[in-house]
Amino acid sequence: MQMETGNNPGASLIRKLEQRDPLSDEEKHVLANSVARIREFGVDEDLVSEGERPNYSTLLLEGFAARYKDLADGRRQITAIHVPGDFVDLHSFLLHRMDHGIVALTPCRIGAVPHEILRHITERHPHLTRLLWLSTLIDGSIHRESLVGMGRRTALGRMAHLLCELFLRLQVIGQTEGDSFRLPLTQAELGDTLGLSTVHVNRIVQELRTAGLITWRGQVVTIENREGLVEVADFDPAFLHLENEPR
Amino acid sequence: MQMETGNNPGASLIRKLEQRDPLSDEEKHVLANSVARIREFGVDEDLVSEGERPNYSTLLLEGFAARYKDLADGRRQITAIHVPGDFVDLHSFLLHRMDHGIVALTPCRIGAVPHEILRHITERHPHLTRLLWLSTLIDGSIHRESLVGMGRRTALGRMAHLLCELFLRLQVIGQTEGDSFRLPLTQAELGDTLGLSTVHVNRIVQELRTAGLITWRGQVVTIENREGLVEVADFDPAFLHLENEPR
DNA sequence: CGAGGTCTTGAAGACGATCAACAAACGTGG
DNA sequence: CCACGTTTGTTGATCGTCTTCAAGACCTCG
């Protein structure tokens, strides 16, 4: 279940943006040339650390990454899971200081896009600017949906919701196979994402399994009963804003 | 504890943006002229409803408003509380379809900024565009901090954190008086915000009171022990990105 | 002055955390 | 290729935070 991200480092981002609104050849060209440098990170390495003021933004080309905040007592909360094509810290372009870290959940390949180039895009390419802005707005929309889950859904609903969401997001970038996808997160990481203990994540996963909603072997999750999972999750994909429309 | 928002409808937004980066006279002029129409809403009215596709964005001029999502079973989750100067659905400019509603928590006065004008700004005023983008990024940053609270903080910590956050945000727009501010939310609304039951909100508020951290008479909250509250909240204002820097 | 909304209090129960221990899987070096 | 150590997954028991249900006090505003 490996996919070709294409030779062009910007390919996955272009694909993701074009899902929402077609790009002109010129815009594609600008994006394709925006990656100044490719870097690789190993598991548990920070792509960017809290407190940094990077002068480039990080485009995730391959692998899974997570935004997280550490608490005073050593626990942590993952606030977002990122997949290839996600511009994981585009916000540092304007926010400057990272108020959270971004860690590699699997080995990651990233493209560094200098803020200078992003600034140039905002000066010269308004439509492309709107699409990059859009991509941060979708991040925000996902945050809001997570907030609903954390505040009002049970552990079971939250887990089911996350699986539905990741399935769709991975489908967009061609990283699903039928009803299956690779989910290389440990149960501890899922707990940090959903605000649950590792033990409880384990029990919830088993509940989803015995309910016949999913199978989960190794790192491969298969959705066995889509409708059932959607119902448990109370899942509505509207928050992903997958529609293709002029922006 | 009333404040003058100035005669200019864009004044509170200009003030909020200038907090982060100075605006040119031309930019201020553009913003001041961006409000096409002023509207008033009563308590519990939707400024914007889920499912709508507004052709303008809503700038909150006066009053408190909340973004919320309703669940299938009738409960709701408030994902953000908004105060004057907040561009409450700037994201609808690019997201188009509202995937959540925005409700007036108090009587509200709003300015409607046509998407057409926002588009014009993105075409002609790159720096102003970046500042508007920034304002949505700060929304996202606040969402992430809320996520940390919902996932990992106790009810007491969450409540304390919310009070610290609102104090600072209200201070920026001149709506605090010493250590006091008006907080016109019911305990039920606070519960919907923090993911708690009304009953528990009540108990937590009393705990903060008896600990001598705050007083809360009528709708006026006074922080009696700033350090203590910050400690209980584990509060770090970095996520508000209040620094003034070139963007 | 009355009525509905808001706040407050008590009691019982549920969901998920914590603690502890063990099993299984993985990866690394010999 | 196997041995071993470490990480990840699994299970059980107990505990605590927060929910739910219920009822009464307060208060605000027509």
mmCIF file of all heavy atoms in Angstrom, chain B residues 204-225:
data_model
loop_
_atom_site.group_PDB
_atom_site.id
_atom_site.type_symbol
_atom_site.label_atom_id
_atom_site.label_comp_id
_atom_site.label_asym_id
_atom_site.label_seq_id
_atom_site.Cartn_x
_atom_site.Cartn_y
_atom_site.Cartn_z
ATOM 1 N N ILE B 204 -17.604 24.089 39.872
ATOM 2 C CA ILE B 204 -16.243 24.558 39.602
ATOM 3 C C ILE B 204 -16.115 26.056 39.890
ATOM 4 O O ILE B 204 -15.125 26.505 40.469
ATOM 5 C CB ILE B 204 -15.899 24.272 38.119
ATOM 6 C CG1 ILE B 204 -15.767 22.768 37.904
ATOM 7 C CG2 ILE B 204 -14.629 24.982 37.717
ATOM 8 C CD1 ILE B 204 -14.779 22.104 38.801
ATOM 9 N N VAL B 205 -17.128 26.806 39.497
ATOM 10 C CA VAL B 205 -17.097 28.246 39.763
ATOM 11 C C VAL B 205 -17.010 28.489 41.262
ATOM 12 O O VAL B 205 -16.241 29.329 41.732
ATOM 13 C CB VAL B 205 -18.339 28.937 39.169
ATOM 14 C CG1 VAL B 205 -18.448 30.369 39.674
ATOM 15 C CG2 VAL B 205 -18.268 28.923 37.653
ATOM 16 N N GLN B 206 -17.779 27.715 42.001
ATOM 17 C CA GLN B 206 -17.727 27.882 43.451
ATOM 18 C C GLN B 206 -16.361 27.522 44.008
ATOM 19 O O GLN B 206 -15.871 28.155 44.954
ATOM 20 C CB GLN B 206 -18.787 27.014 44.112
ATOM 21 C CG GLN B 206 -20.175 27.537 43.846
ATOM 22 C CD GLN B 206 -21.231 26.661 44.463
ATOM 23 O OE1 GLN B 206 -21.211 26.439 45.673
ATOM 24 N NE2 GLN B 206 -22.118 26.150 43.642
ATOM 25 N N GLU B 207 -15.755 26.540 43.401
ATOM 26 C CA GLU B 207 -14.429 26.145 43.859
ATOM 27 C C GLU B 207 -13.432 27.285 43.629
ATOM 28 O O GLU B 207 -12.598 27.583 44.493
ATOM 29 C CB GLU B 207 -13.996 24.870 43.113
ATOM 30 C CG GLU B 207 -12.964 24.061 43.869
ATOM 31 C CD GLU B 207 -12.658 22.743 43.161
ATOM 32 O OE1 GLU B 207 -13.594 22.177 42.541
ATOM 33 O OE2 GLU B 207 -11.490 22.307 43.210
ATOM 34 N N LEU B 208 -13.537 27.918 42.464
ATOM 35 C CA LEU B 208 -12.649 29.054 42.180
ATOM 36 C C LEU B 208 -12.921 30.202 43.150
ATOM 37 O O LEU B 208 -12.001 30.906 43.573
ATOM 38 C CB LEU B 208 -12.847 29.537 40.738
ATOM 39 C CG LEU B 208 -12.324 28.610 39.630
ATOM 40 C CD1 LEU B 208 -12.735 29.131 38.255
ATOM 41 C CD2 LEU B 208 -10.800 28.486 39.700
ATOM 42 N N ARG B 209 -14.180 30.348 43.506
ATOM 43 C CA ARG B 209 -14.541 31.411 44.442
ATOM 44 C C ARG B 209 -13.978 31.140 45.829
ATOM 45 O O ARG B 209 -13.317 31.990 46.422
ATOM 46 C CB ARG B 209 -16.063 31.538 44.532
ATOM 47 C CG ARG B 209 -16.662 32.317 43.376
ATOM 48 C CD ARG B 209 -18.028 32.878 43.759
ATOM 49 N NE ARG B 209 -19.095 31.937 43.465
ATOM 50 C CZ ARG B 209 -20.100 32.186 42.621
ATOM 51 N NH1 ARG B 209 -20.165 33.331 41.984
ATOM 52 N NH2 ARG B 209 -21.036 31.287 42.412
ATOM 53 N N THR B 210 -14.255 29.954 46.324
ATOM 54 C CA THR B 210 -13.826 29.670 47.703
ATOM 55 C C THR B 210 -12.305 29.588 47.806
ATOM 56 O O THR B 210 -11.753 29.783 48.879
ATOM 57 C CB THR B 210 -14.456 28.360 48.226
ATOM 58 O OG1 THR B 210 -14.051 27.297 47.387
ATOM 59 C CG2 THR B 210 -15.966 28.445 48.210
ATOM 60 N N ALA B 211 -11.650 29.338 46.673
ATOM 61 C CA ALA B 211 -10.187 29.340 46.691
ATOM 62 C C ALA B 211 -9.654 30.773 46.671
ATOM 63 O O ALA B 211 -8.440 30.988 46.705
ATOM 64 C CB ALA B 211 -9.644 28.555 45.493
ATOM 65 N N GLY B 212 -10.576 31.729 46.562
ATOM 66 C CA GLY B 212 -10.155 33.129 46.584
ATOM 67 C C GLY B 212 -9.524 33.591 45.286
ATOM 68 O O GLY B 212 -8.882 34.639 45.237
ATOM 69 N N LEU B 213 -9.709 32.823 44.224
ATOM 70 C CA LEU B 213 -9.069 33.190 42.955
ATOM 71 C C LEU B 213 -9.881 34.239 42.201
ATOM 72 O O LEU B 213 -9.314 35.092 41.520
ATOM 73 C CB LEU B 213 -8.874 31.943 42.085
ATOM 74 C CG LEU B 213 -7.962 30.878 42.710
ATOM 75 C CD1 LEU B 213 -7.898 29.645 41.834
ATOM 76 C CD2 LEU B 213 -6.556 31.445 42.901
ATOM 77 N N ILE B 214 -11.199 34.138 42.294
ATOM 78 C CA ILE B 214 -12.047 35.094 41.593
ATOM 79 C C ILE B 214 -13.256 35.464 42.452
ATOM 80 O O ILE B 214 -13.577 34.770 43.418
ATOM 81 C CB ILE B 214 -12.609 34.498 40.275
ATOM 82 C CG1 ILE B 214 -13.488 33.265 40.589
ATOM 83 C CG2 ILE B 214 -11.496 34.119 39.330
ATOM 84 C CD1 ILE B 214 -14.358 32.828 39.446
ATOM 85 N N THR B 215 -13.899 36.553 42.082
ATOM 86 C CA THR B 215 -15.271 36.793 42.516
ATOM 87 C C THR B 215 -16.085 36.920 41.242
ATOM 88 O O THR B 215 -15.559 37.230 40.176
ATOM 89 C CB THR B 215 -15.408 38.080 43.365
ATOM 90 O OG1 THR B 215 -14.862 39.173 42.633
ATOM 91 C CG2 THR B 215 -14.680 37.941 44.674
ATOM 92 N N TRP B 216 -17.367 36.649 41.366
ATOM 93 C CA TRP B 216 -18.217 36.622 40.177
ATOM 94 C C TRP B 216 -19.598 37.050 40.633
ATOM 95 O O TRP B 216 -20.360 36.240 41.138
ATOM 96 C CB TRP B 216 -18.238 35.187 39.635
ATOM 97 C CG TRP B 216 -18.850 35.022 38.278
ATOM 98 C CD1 TRP B 216 -19.893 35.696 37.744
ATOM 99 C CD2 TRP B 216 -18.421 34.099 37.269
ATOM 100 N NE1 TRP B 216 -20.143 35.254 36.474
ATOM 101 C CE2 TRP B 216 -19.264 34.275 36.154
ATOM 102 C CE3 TRP B 216 -17.415 33.136 37.198
ATOM 103 C CZ2 TRP B 216 -19.127 33.520 34.991
ATOM 104 C CZ3 TRP B 216 -17.284 32.384 36.049
ATOM 105 C CH2 TRP B 216 -18.132 32.574 34.957
ATOM 106 N N ARG B 217 -19.852 38.333 40.501
ATOM 107 C CA ARG B 217 -21.132 38.864 40.967
ATOM 108 C C ARG B 217 -21.910 39.345 39.758
ATOM 109 O O ARG B 217 -21.428 40.172 39.008
ATOM 110 C CB ARG B 217 -20.919 40.022 41.943
ATOM 111 C CG ARG B 217 -21.431 39.741 43.358
ATOM 112 C CD ARG B 217 -21.448 41.001 44.210
ATOM 113 N NE ARG B 217 -20.176 41.736 44.188
ATOM 114 C CZ ARG B 217 -19.137 41.448 44.980
ATOM 115 N NH1 ARG B 217 -19.210 40.472 45.847
ATOM 116 N NH2 ARG B 217 -18.022 42.155 44.901
ATOM 117 N N GLY B 218 -23.111 38.832 39.618
ATOM 118 C CA GLY B 218 -23.893 39.190 38.438
ATOM 119 C C GLY B 218 -23.116 38.729 37.211
ATOM 120 O O GLY B 218 -22.750 37.564 37.119
ATOM 121 N N GLN B 219 -22.839 39.634 36.306
ATOM 122 C CA GLN B 219 -22.085 39.236 35.115
ATOM 123 C C GLN B 219 -20.649 39.731 35.161
ATOM 124 O O GLN B 219 -19.953 39.690 34.152
ATOM 125 C CB GLN B 219 -22.780 39.787 33.875
ATOM 126 C CG GLN B 219 -24.195 39.252 33.711
ATOM 127 C CD GLN B 219 -24.779 39.609 32.371
ATOM 128 O OE1 GLN B 219 -24.494 40.664 31.820
ATOM 129 N NE2 GLN B 219 -25.602 38.725 31.834
ATOM 130 N N VAL B 220 -20.229 40.196 36.327
ATOM 131 C CA VAL B 220 -18.879 40.752 36.414
ATOM 132 C C VAL B 220 -17.931 39.800 37.139
ATOM 133 O O VAL B 220 -18.154 39.432 38.285
ATOM 134 C CB VAL B 220 -18.887 42.123 37.121
ATOM 135 C CG1 VAL B 220 -17.463 42.647 37.273
ATOM 136 C CG2 VAL B 220 -19.752 43.105 36.353
ATOM 137 N N VAL B 221 -16.907 39.402 36.418
ATOM 138 C CA VAL B 221 -15.880 38.545 36.999
ATOM 139 C C VAL B 221 -14.693 39.402 37.398
ATOM 140 O O VAL B 221 -14.253 40.262 36.630
ATOM 141 C CB VAL B 221 -15.409 37.488 35.975
ATOM 142 C CG1 VAL B 221 -14.244 36.689 36.532
ATOM 143 C CG2 VAL B 221 -16.563 36.575 35.597
ATOM 144 N N THR B 222 -14.190 39.178 38.590
ATOM 145 C CA THR B 222 -12.972 39.866 39.027
ATOM 146 C C THR B 222 -11.918 38.825 39.388
ATOM 147 O O THR B 222 -12.198 37.892 40.145
ATOM 148 C CB THR B 222 -13.252 40.757 40.255
ATOM 149 O OG1 THR B 222 -14.297 41.671 39.943
ATOM 150 C CG2 THR B 222 -12.006 41.534 40.660
ATOM 151 N N ILE B 223 -10.769 38.985 38.825
ATOM 152 C CA ILE B 223 -9.663 38.094 39.156
ATOM 153 C C ILE B 223 -8.996 38.623 40.416
ATOM 154 O O ILE B 223 -8.409 39.697 40.417
ATOM 155 C CB ILE B 223 -8.659 38.017 37.988
ATOM 156 C CG1 ILE B 223 -9.362 37.467 36.744
ATOM 157 C CG2 ILE B 223 -7.460 37.151 38.374
ATOM 158 C CD1 ILE B 223 -8.503 37.429 35.503
ATOM 159 N N GLU B 224 -9.116 37.859 41.475
ATOM 160 C CA GLU B 224 -8.624 38.322 42.768
ATOM 161 C C GLU B 224 -7.183 37.902 42.997
ATOM 162 O O GLU B 224 -6.460 38.525 43.769
ATOM 163 C CB GLU B 224 -9.496 37.753 43.904
ATOM 164 C CG GLU B 224 -10.960 38.146 43.827
ATOM 165 C CD GLU B 224 -11.184 39.632 44.103
ATOM 166 O OE1 GLU B 224 -10.259 40.295 44.600
ATOM 167 O OE2 GLU B 224 -12.295 40.125 43.808
ATOM 168 N N ASN B 225 -6.790 36.836 42.334
ATOM 169 C CA ASN B 225 -5.436 36.316 42.532
ATOM 170 C C ASN B 225 -4.926 35.827 41.187
ATOM 171 O O ASN B 225 -5.098 34.674 40.820
ATOM 172 C CB ASN B 225 -5.477 35.176 43.554
ATOM 173 C CG ASN B 225 -4.115 34.533 43.766
ATOM 174 O OD1 ASN B 225 -3.157 34.812 43.040
ATOM 175 N ND2 ASN B 225 -4.027 33.662 44.757
#
